[in-house]
Amino acid sequence: MAFGVQEITLAIIIGTLAAIVYSLRVLVLMERRIARIEGHIERVVGKVMKEEVKIERVLRKR
């Protein structure tokens, strides 16, 4: 079964498009994961800030 230049070119183009779509999907998934991590970091920072305020209040009373 011999393929012509057009079929080979079409296969290369389709393969390239499939690779681009897959890489975009991976990037979207990574972005979601990073956004979740940032949310966790923000919560931890908020908790640390609350604790620091408590400590500062205790030290001022002394």
Side-chain angles (χ1 to χ4, degrees), residues 23-37:
S23 63
L24 286 174
R25 180 179 170 269
V26 169
L27 285 174
V28 167
L29 292 175
M30 286 177 59
E31 194 276 331
R32 287 181 186 164
R33 187 175 293 177
I34 290 171
R36 249 192 354 240
I37 291 170

Side-chain angles (χ1 to χ4, degrees), residues 10-22:
L10 183 62
I12 291 171
I13 291 171
I14 291 174
T16 304
L17 288 174
I20 291 170
V21 168
Y22 179 76

Side-chain angles (χ1 to χ4, degrees), residues 5-62:
V5 174
Q6 290 178 339
E7 287 85 5
I8 293 173
T9 305
L10 183 62
I12 291 171
I13 291 171
I14 291 174
T16 304
L17 288 174
I20 291 170
V21 168
Y22 179 76
S23 63
L24 286 174
R25 180 179 170 269
V26 169
L27 285 174
V28 167
L29 292 175
M30 286 177 59
E31 194 276 331
R32 287 181 186 164
R33 187 175 293 177
I34 290 171
R36 249 192 354 240
I37 291 170
E38 287 176 350
H40 292 305
I41 290 172
E42 287 176 6
R43 266 189 260 136
V44 168
V45 168
K47 289 178 183 179
V48 169
M49 291 295 290
K50 286 179 185 176
E51 289 297 320
E52 285 185 6
V53 169
K54 287 179 188 177
I55 292 170
E56 286 176 0
R57 286 183 190 150
V58 168
L59 291 177
R60 284 185 193 155
K61 290 179 180 178
R62 288 183 177 183

